[in-house]
Amino acid sequence: MTKREEIERRRTFAIISHPDAGKTTLTEKLLLYGGAINQAGSVKGKQSARHAVSDWMEIEKQRGISVTSSVLQFNYAGKCVNILDTPGHQDFSEDTYRTLMAADSAVMVIDAAKGVEAQTIKLFKVCTLRHIPIFTFINKMDRDSRDPFELMENIEEIPGIKTYPMNWPIGNGKDFKGVFDRNTRKVLAFESDGRANGVKMVDMEQAELGDDRLDELLTPDLHQQLVDEIELLDGAAEEFDLDKVNCGELSPVFFGSALTNFGVGPFLNDFLRLTQTPLPRVDSLTGEAVDPGREEFSGFIFKIQANMNKAHRDRIAFMRICSGKFERGMDAFHVQQGKNIKLATGTQLMAQDRAIVDEAYAGDIIGLFDPGIFSIGDTLCTGKKKVQFAGIPTFAPEHFARIEQKDTMKRKQFVKGIEQIAQEGAIQIFREVGGGMEEVVVGVVGVLQLEVLEYRLNTEYNVEIRMQQLPFEHIRWIKNEPDSYELRMLDLTSDTKAVEDMRGNRLLLFTSPWSIDWAENHNKELKLSEFGNI
């Protein structure tokens, strides 16, 4: 197969959702249908001790939540599919935003009983900023759910994107019998294997609308209801327009139940038929798009994860390949450091099971062993003409805590642990201006990250800490040159604190918007920014 053919069969997408909408379950079922696993294990299943394939950190298994983004790859129907499974928990939203930078499309999982939830809206906004296609999977139709028309309206009103139902549910809860496929105009009636958890693929019967067999398959009432609803849909719904889907203005909607496997197969087939080949990324040096099929290799780092393997204390930098082909042992130019480095080994991950990769193509996500040289947003490329992809924005933390180690003899492990976890981007660390690392202030987007930090310092670095929550809620970077003002002379409220980040940039921590106004009004020369250009 030629390089261009390999690139064109790639499909890279992120699965995003509100906590508990069933994202991890859907990811597993896609792997089941893609033949990557033989049996799916429910995250919540008590009788079996198995956990979701995509959850690898101990704390994820204990709570049944995803804390980190996993990358999973499988082949299906001639396509090579890369799934980025993102954390659904609101406290890990920053990791999700970064992962969306590496995806070409997004699958939004929505709980049929709850509709669109707060976290989902934020993620929709990130997708629409990048104009990436959004496919919607309305999950949990096997439980009592809201009216499908109401759910469609809910998506159009809240995130503000037009919808087109690709299929239509027949019944819900215990009466969920299957879906009507609007493309083939056939009814797909699913047969349950009698267990609550679909462990194997489900069988389905196809029949034409109006076929006498449907009275038996669905019940006469559901059959009649379906005929009426389809008539209504065909008259009222948006026209299907693939161009609008590709620029993120129209979302194809699928109904199903990931738990019982109802609707997962048809969704996967339609999704791969409609979704795009790897998209070009823009070179920020020239403003031009970099063609994925070009000869020269390029890619960017969007995530760093330390200690995925307890035995090796390693760090993996996740790279999205944007053009060309990766080969193990190749040399590439590290743009931010301005020097050539050898890309010794690439790995592909199925959660924490990893395989060494000899070659990978544009659209693929690979893990590179990181001796501490990579940062989030770094570009790697080959060829005479250098490219550089835009950096990934840093979100301002909303919760702060003061942290120090209990045992002063473990200072080295404490500093190493804090710095490594900060480099992954899950936390931001600050210290007193001109101070050392005896105690640090940690800023996070969500409170649960503080718990994960304490847990990881203890299990991975063997350090116990004391943690004290701080009252700050807002942060501003000082944009003035350090020698142009004197920190002590600034007129600030008594509850405002000055700190610096690990690169020596100065910041102010505030407890309320009122103290920010005070600082700006009483120090006319002071320039404050809401984003760190990290």
Side-chain angles (χ1 to χ4, degrees):
M1 207 180 280
T2 66
K3 182 166 73 174
R4 187 159 290 270
E5 284 170 340
E6 278 288 2
I7 292 171
E8 286 183 350
R9 68 185 202 95
R10 296 300 193 265
R11 299 289 183 276
T12 304
F13 65 97
I15 297 197
I16 52 182
S17 82
H18 197 79
D20 281 344
K23 174 175 55 62
T24 303
T25 311
L26 178 64
T27 308
E28 285 229 310
K29 298 313 172 74
L30 293 175
L31 293 175
L32 175 71
Y33 276 80
I37 52 176
N38 304 326
Q39 216 183 10
S42 168
V43 190
K44 303 276 193 293
K46 287 284 183 284
Q47 73 278 16
S48 69
R50 283 177 304 119
H51 302 283
V53 181
S54 55
D55 288 351
W56 61 268
M57 206 186 272
E58 203 53 46
I59 196 165
E60 299 184 305
K61 294 173 186 172
Q62 291 165 7
R63 299 212 182 179
I65 58 170
S66 301
V67 173
T68 52
S69 310
S70 310
V71 188
L72 309 156
Q73 187 185 63
F74 63 91
N75 285 292
Y76 180 79
K79 306 274 192 285
C80 176
V81 184
N82 292 297
I83 303 182
L84 290 152
D85 178 24
T86 63
H89 201 284
Q90 62 205 34
D91 288 356
F92 300 96
S93 50
E94 200 170 342
D95 200 13
T96 308
Y97 297 139
R98 276 199 284 270
T99 302
L100 282 170
M101 304 299 277
D104 294 320
S105 57
V107 172
M108 180 61 95
V109 185
I110 288 176
D111 183 327
K114 295 179 184 162
V116 177
E117 298 172 81
Q119 196 56 27
T120 320
I121 301 167
K122 257 191 191 171
L123 294 173
F124 254 113
K125 278 188 182 147
V126 177
C127 293
T128 45
L129 279 174
R130 284 202 47 224
H131 299 291
I132 66 172
I134 304 171
F135 293 78
T136 305
F137 185 83
I138 296 183
N139 192 22
K140 302 194 180 180
M141 291 303 297
D142 57 320
R143 306 202 184 158
D144 291 334
S145 49
R146 290 163 70 169
D147 177 70
F149 285 105
E150 194 186 315
L151 284 163
M152 306 280 291
E153 205 174 304
N154 184 238
I155 297 168
E156 296 203 355
E157 271 174 18
I158 300 178
I161 183 170
K162 296 267 186 277
T163 56
Y164 181 88
M166 300 298 293
N167 63 23
W168 196 251
I170 303 164
N172 73 27
K174 289 190 179 67
D175 295 331
F176 181 48
K177 299 285 192 219
V179 293
F180 172 76
D181 185 321
R182 294 185 68 203
N183 184 31
T184 60
R185 310 297 293 172
K186 284 196 164 69
V187 168
L188 308 177
F190 299 111
E191 292 176 30
S192 167
D193 61 0
R195 281 183 281 190
N197 253 331
V199 182
K200 301 269 192 287
M201 295 189 208
V202 287
D203 296 319
M204 57 184 187
E205 288 229 17
Q206 290 199 11
E208 301 281 337
L209 201 57
D211 188 328
D212 292 343
R213 277 191 316 145
L214 285 182
D215 282 354
E216 197 181 320
L217 277 172
L218 307 180
T219 73
D221 290 351
L222 281 175
H223 185 189
Q224 187 52 49
Q225 185 185 337
L226 179 66
V227 172
D228 296 344
E229 288 182 344
I230 295 302
E231 198 177 313
L232 191 63
L233 257 192
D234 289 347
E238 282 275 320
E239 286 293 308
F240 184 74
D241 181 340
L242 192 57
D243 290 339
K244 281 189 178 171
V245 173
N246 288 341
C247 62
E249 290 172 18
L250 180 72
S251 178
V253 178
F254 299 83
F255 290 87
S257 156
L259 197 63
T260 59
N261 296 350
F262 285 12
V264 175
F267 162 70
L268 184 57
N269 291 324
D270 264 355
F271 174 74
L272 292 179
R273 182 172 62 84
L274 298 171
T275 187
Q276 294 166 294
T277 55
L279 297 174
R281 294 287 192 276
V282 174
D283 173 6
S284 57
L285 299 175
T286 61
E288 289 169 15
V290 176
D291 174 22
R294 75 177 202 147
E295 200 49 46
E296 293 83 13
F297 159 86
S298 67
F300 65 89
I301 306 290
F302 67 95
K303 173 186 171 61
I304 293 172
Q305 187 71 51
N307 302 333
M308 289 192 71
N309 182 337
K310 280 220 175 65
H312 297 298
R313 292 266 174 260
D314 57 352
R315 281 158 52 101
I316 300 275
F318 287 87
M319 175 172 67
R320 153 80 195 217
I321 302 176
C322 299
S323 71
K325 177 183 177 181
F326 162 87
E327 290 178 57
R328 193 165 99 187
M330 71 188 281
D331 287 322
F333 185 71
H334 186 270
V335 176
Q336 279 70 10
Q337 291 203 343
K339 61 181 186 192
N340 280 318
I341 55 171
K342 196 173 203 61
L343 304 182
T345 16
T347 61
Q348 257 169 356
L349 305 168
M350 182 73 133
Q352 87 213 83
D353 298 335
R354 48 177 80 174
I356 299 294
V357 175
D358 288 319
E359 49 185 45
Y361 297 87
D364 284 339
I365 308 288
I366 58 168
L368 297 171
F369 285 107
D370 177 17
I373 56 174
F374 296 122
S375 299
I376 288 168
D378 284 1
T379 300
L380 294 166
C381 63
T382 61
K384 287 199 173 74
K385 187 169 173 268
K386 305 292 178 259
V387 297
Q388 184 173 345
F389 300 107
I392 295 175
T394 303
F395 289 80
E398 293 163 22
H399 304 275
F400 298 87
R402 182 181 285 112
I403 286 179
E404 56 184 335
Q405 76 258 37
K406 285 184 182 173
D407 180 352
T408 49
M409 302 299 282
K410 292 197 172 165
R411 174 182 154 71
K412 206 170 154 192
Q413 293 98 305
F414 172 71
V415 173
K416 184 182 174 188
I418 284 273
E419 285 180 348
Q420 287 197 339
I421 296 171
Q423 277 166 330
E424 293 174 20
I427 61 169
Q428 291 178 44
I429 40 178
F430 312 105
R431 57 187 173 201
E432 298 287 335
V433 177
M437 294 283 288
E438 290 70 37
E439 58 169 54
V440 292
V441 173
V442 171
V444 294
V445 175
V447 186
L448 189 56
Q449 278 167 321
L450 290 172
E451 228 177 283
V452 172
L453 172 66
E454 184 167 9
Y455 174 84
R456 288 187 61 187
L457 282 173
N458 196 341
T459 54
E460 293 171 20
Y461 299 92
N462 197 18
V463 174
E464 286 192 28
I465 56 167
R466 272 190 287 274
M467 188 185 295
Q468 178 199 353
Q469 297 260 4
L470 297 172
F472 307 111
E473 289 176 9
H474 307 275
I475 187 170
R476 293 290 182 272
W477 277 262
I478 299 177
K479 286 296 176 197
N480 308 57
E481 289 298 321
D483 49 10
S484 68
Y485 66 97
E486 223 178 305
L487 207 51
R488 287 200 317 267
M489 305 306 289
L490 292 179
D491 183 356
L492 303 169
T493 55
S494 58
D495 57 2
T496 300
K497 183 177 178 61
V499 291
E500 62 181 20
D501 66 16
M502 300 323 284
R503 301 188 178 190
N505 300 314
R506 292 176 173 184
L507 307 96
L508 296 175
L509 304 181
F510 300 98
T511 54
S512 67
W514 183 81
S515 4
I516 302 175
D517 291 343
W518 177 281
E520 288 178 329
N521 294 333
H522 288 73
N523 305 277
K524 290 298 179 201
E525 301 300 303
L526 191 63
K527 292 200 279 290
L528 299 178
S529 160
E530 219 171 312
F531 291 97
N533 50 348
I534 293 175

